Amino acid sequence: MTAVDIGLPRRLVEFTLDGRTVSLPEGSTILDACAALGISIPTLCWGDTLQPRNACRVCMVEVEGSRTLVPSCSRQVAPGMVVRTDSERTRHSRKVVLELLASSADLSTAPQVGEWMAECGAQPERFGPPEPPADDHDERRPGEHEEPDGSSAATVRQDAKVDNDLYVRDYGKCILCYKCVDACGQQWQNTFAIAVAGRGFDARISTEFARPLPESACVYCGNCIEVCPTGALSFKTEFDMRDEGTWDESRQQRTTTVCTFCGVGCNLTLHTQDNEIVRVTSPHDSSVGHGNLCIKGRFGWQHVQNRERKGEP
């Protein structure tokens, strides 16, 4: 039985981070150490309610003695470890990874990505102008590709999938971070409505047999939206408002309350703009749901503001 199992304090591990001697509890990651010291490390696929997947490769750091860069989100600290987060090697890696991601996917609604790209001097346009949106990638025949001529950058751009009234799948913004798959699967919801289909550049998030979402196993909990880092999954209200040009987070207020649909006690954070609820999230540090909700908590708020009745002005 370990110290963690019986509730005893974990022993401290001493190591060096950017020239500073640091002591953290055993089992902490390099990213935990960076957060404790106020060192900013960009990451897209990491989530505080999910186990790391090491998919985006943006948070790579240098560990002395390691042949390759290591992902700070999952690499645990070890005694005597020497870590460098801002070396020439890490900066170059971050720059290239962001360029590749931004050249193939639309990152315009991914928070902080613009700041990271400016900080490291990423220039995704050097790969050429993006290809025009393609047809639905689920309709492509596997393995069939046209020979690229090098005049444009291959992208995952396609029209957004709008097949229900609750949320939209805009896979032109997807970077395959796997967070939605994990939230829908064994880490939280255990619905397994979505998974990764295809291989290589044809890899994509899809439903079973690429069926429309209403015909899939989806229970519309929206927990995939909660963890999506790029806006590939969004509330239909948000999608429509962005399309109209009325979405403005600087004008939105957040109010945390308790869901009234049942007695579980899940926390809701209501995002309101112009006195209308436009999105619902849940605090990740809540001991009840850890950021997760059901369909009622996530989407069942229309009755609060749809006050007009037939026959009334």
PDB file of all heavy atoms in Angstrom, residues 104-118:
ATOM      1  N   SER A 104      -2.970  23.820 -40.916  1.00  0.00           N
ATOM      2  CA  SER A 104      -3.913  22.762 -41.307  1.00  0.00           C
ATOM      3  C   SER A 104      -5.292  22.930 -40.697  1.00  0.00           C
ATOM      4  O   SER A 104      -6.267  22.394 -41.220  1.00  0.00           O
ATOM      5  CB  SER A 104      -3.361  21.391 -40.903  1.00  0.00           C
ATOM      6  OG  SER A 104      -3.166  21.309 -39.505  1.00  0.00           O
ATOM      7  N   ALA A 105      -5.400  23.666 -39.595  1.00  0.00           N
ATOM      8  CA  ALA A 105      -6.691  23.853 -38.922  1.00  0.00           C
ATOM      9  C   ALA A 105      -6.902  25.325 -38.599  1.00  0.00           C
ATOM     10  O   ALA A 105      -5.945  26.092 -38.483  1.00  0.00           O
ATOM     11  CB  ALA A 105      -6.760  23.024 -37.642  1.00  0.00           C
ATOM     12  N   ASP A 106      -8.158  25.700 -38.478  1.00  0.00           N
ATOM     13  CA  ASP A 106      -8.518  27.075 -38.128  1.00  0.00           C
ATOM     14  C   ASP A 106      -8.441  27.228 -36.608  1.00  0.00           C
ATOM     15  O   ASP A 106      -9.263  26.673 -35.884  1.00  0.00           O
ATOM     16  CB  ASP A 106      -9.932  27.373 -38.634  1.00  0.00           C
ATOM     17  CG  ASP A 106     -10.436  28.744 -38.202  1.00  0.00           C
ATOM     18  OD1 ASP A 106      -9.632  29.555 -37.701  1.00  0.00           O
ATOM     19  OD2 ASP A 106     -11.641  29.007 -38.378  1.00  0.00           O
ATOM     20  N   LEU A 107      -7.468  27.990 -36.126  1.00  0.00           N
ATOM     21  CA  LEU A 107      -7.278  28.178 -34.696  1.00  0.00           C
ATOM     22  C   LEU A 107      -7.742  29.553 -34.235  1.00  0.00           C
ATOM     23  O   LEU A 107      -7.341  30.021 -33.169  1.00  0.00           O
ATOM     24  CB  LEU A 107      -5.798  27.981 -34.332  1.00  0.00           C
ATOM     25  CG  LEU A 107      -5.180  26.622 -34.662  1.00  0.00           C
ATOM     26  CD1 LEU A 107      -3.736  26.557 -34.175  1.00  0.00           C
ATOM     27  CD2 LEU A 107      -5.995  25.482 -34.067  1.00  0.00           C
ATOM     28  N   SER A 108      -8.602  30.176 -35.015  1.00  0.00           N
ATOM     29  CA  SER A 108      -9.016  31.545 -34.715  1.00  0.00           C
ATOM     30  C   SER A 108      -9.819  31.655 -33.423  1.00  0.00           C
ATOM     31  O   SER A 108      -9.867  32.724 -32.815  1.00  0.00           O
ATOM     32  CB  SER A 108      -9.841  32.117 -35.874  1.00  0.00           C
ATOM     33  OG  SER A 108     -11.010  31.338 -36.100  1.00  0.00           O
ATOM     34  N   THR A 109     -10.469  30.575 -32.995  1.00  0.00           N
ATOM     35  CA  THR A 109     -11.270  30.623 -31.771  1.00  0.00           C
ATOM     36  C   THR A 109     -10.612  29.840 -30.631  1.00  0.00           C
ATOM     37  O   THR A 109     -11.251  29.571 -29.620  1.00  0.00           O
ATOM     38  CB  THR A 109     -12.685  30.064 -32.016  1.00  0.00           C
ATOM     39  OG1 THR A 109     -12.596  28.738 -32.558  1.00  0.00           O
ATOM     40  CG2 THR A 109     -13.449  30.948 -32.994  1.00  0.00           C
ATOM     41  N   ALA A 110      -9.338  29.482 -30.796  1.00  0.00           N
ATOM     42  CA  ALA A 110      -8.599  28.792 -29.738  1.00  0.00           C
ATOM     43  C   ALA A 110      -7.956  29.835 -28.837  1.00  0.00           C
ATOM     44  O   ALA A 110      -7.107  30.603 -29.290  1.00  0.00           O
ATOM     45  CB  ALA A 110      -7.536  27.868 -30.325  1.00  0.00           C
ATOM     46  N   PRO A 111      -8.346  29.911 -27.570  1.00  0.00           N
ATOM     47  CA  PRO A 111      -7.811  30.942 -26.675  1.00  0.00           C
ATOM     48  C   PRO A 111      -6.299  30.897 -26.577  1.00  0.00           C
ATOM     49  O   PRO A 111      -5.698  29.825 -26.493  1.00  0.00           O
ATOM     50  CB  PRO A 111      -8.466  30.607 -25.324  1.00  0.00           C
ATOM     51  CG  PRO A 111      -9.677  29.803 -25.666  1.00  0.00           C
ATOM     52  CD  PRO A 111      -9.317  29.031 -26.894  1.00  0.00           C
ATOM     53  N   GLN A 112      -5.676  32.069 -26.609  1.00  0.00           N
ATOM     54  CA  GLN A 112      -4.238  32.283 -26.376  1.00  0.00           C
ATOM     55  C   GLN A 112      -3.328  31.818 -27.503  1.00  0.00           C
ATOM     56  O   GLN A 112      -2.128  32.125 -27.489  1.00  0.00           O
ATOM     57  CB  GLN A 112      -3.789  31.608 -25.070  1.00  0.00           C
ATOM     58  CG  GLN A 112      -4.402  32.194 -23.807  1.00  0.00           C
ATOM     59  CD  GLN A 112      -3.789  31.592 -22.561  1.00  0.00           C
ATOM     60  OE1 GLN A 112      -4.093  30.463 -22.205  1.00  0.00           O
ATOM     61  NE2 GLN A 112      -2.923  32.334 -21.902  1.00  0.00           N
ATOM     62  N   VAL A 113      -3.840  31.108 -28.491  1.00  0.00           N
ATOM     63  CA  VAL A 113      -2.961  30.601 -29.543  1.00  0.00           C
ATOM     64  C   VAL A 113      -2.302  31.750 -30.302  1.00  0.00           C
ATOM     65  O   VAL A 113      -1.117  31.693 -30.648  1.00  0.00           O
ATOM     66  CB  VAL A 113      -3.729  29.678 -30.510  1.00  0.00           C
ATOM     67  CG1 VAL A 113      -2.914  29.391 -31.758  1.00  0.00           C
ATOM     68  CG2 VAL A 113      -4.066  28.363 -29.816  1.00  0.00           C
ATOM     69  N   GLY A 114      -3.057  32.806 -30.562  1.00  0.00           N
ATOM     70  CA  GLY A 114      -2.491  33.963 -31.245  1.00  0.00           C
ATOM     71  C   GLY A 114      -1.320  34.558 -30.481  1.00  0.00           C
ATOM     72  O   GLY A 114      -0.301  34.946 -31.084  1.00  0.00           O
ATOM     73  N   GLU A 115      -1.453  34.623 -29.157  1.00  0.00           N
ATOM     74  CA  GLU A 115      -0.367  35.147 -28.319  1.00  0.00           C
ATOM     75  C   GLU A 115       0.860  34.231 -28.389  1.00  0.00           C
ATOM     76  O   GLU A 115       1.997  34.704 -28.489  1.00  0.00           O
ATOM     77  CB  GLU A 115      -0.836  35.267 -26.877  1.00  0.00           C
ATOM     78  CG  GLU A 115      -2.029  36.184 -26.671  1.00  0.00           C
ATOM     79  CD  GLU A 115      -2.547  36.120 -25.243  1.00  0.00           C
ATOM     80  OE1 GLU A 115      -1.786  35.653 -24.362  1.00  0.00           O
ATOM     81  OE2 GLU A 115      -3.699  36.516 -25.011  1.00  0.00           O
ATOM     82  N   TRP A 116       0.638  32.924 -28.322  1.00  0.00           N
ATOM     83  CA  TRP A 116       1.748  31.977 -28.385  1.00  0.00           C
ATOM     84  C   TRP A 116       2.478  32.073 -29.713  1.00  0.00           C
ATOM     85  O   TRP A 116       3.712  32.049 -29.763  1.00  0.00           O
ATOM     86  CB  TRP A 116       1.245  30.553 -28.166  1.00  0.00           C
ATOM     87  CG  TRP A 116       0.605  30.306 -26.854  1.00  0.00           C
ATOM     88  CD1 TRP A 116       0.797  31.023 -25.700  1.00  0.00           C
ATOM     89  CD2 TRP A 116      -0.334  29.279 -26.528  1.00  0.00           C
ATOM     90  NE1 TRP A 116       0.036  30.500 -24.688  1.00  0.00           N
ATOM     91  CE2 TRP A 116      -0.678  29.434 -25.158  1.00  0.00           C
ATOM     92  CE3 TRP A 116      -0.925  28.257 -27.245  1.00  0.00           C
ATOM     93  CZ2 TRP A 116      -1.572  28.592 -24.516  1.00  0.00           C
ATOM     94  CZ3 TRP A 116      -1.825  27.404 -26.618  1.00  0.00           C
ATOM     95  CH2 TRP A 116      -2.140  27.576 -25.260  1.00  0.00           C
ATOM     96  N   MET A 117       1.716  32.194 -30.797  1.00  0.00           N
ATOM     97  CA  MET A 117       2.332  32.254 -32.118  1.00  0.00           C
ATOM     98  C   MET A 117       3.161  33.527 -32.269  1.00  0.00           C
ATOM     99  O   MET A 117       4.246  33.506 -32.856  1.00  0.00           O
ATOM    100  CB  MET A 117       1.256  32.153 -33.194  1.00  0.00           C
ATOM    101  CG  MET A 117       0.571  30.798 -33.252  1.00  0.00           C
ATOM    102  SD  MET A 117      -0.691  30.689 -34.525  1.00  0.00           S
ATOM    103  CE  MET A 117       0.281  30.884 -36.002  1.00  0.00           C
ATOM    104  N   ALA A 118       2.639  34.633 -31.747  1.00  0.00           N
ATOM    105  CA  ALA A 118       3.392  35.886 -31.827  1.00  0.00           C
ATOM    106  C   ALA A 118       4.647  35.810 -30.968  1.00  0.00           C
ATOM    107  O   ALA A 118       5.720  36.305 -31.355  1.00  0.00           O
ATOM    108  CB  ALA A 118       2.505  37.044 -31.376  1.00  0.00           C
TER     109      ALA A 118
END
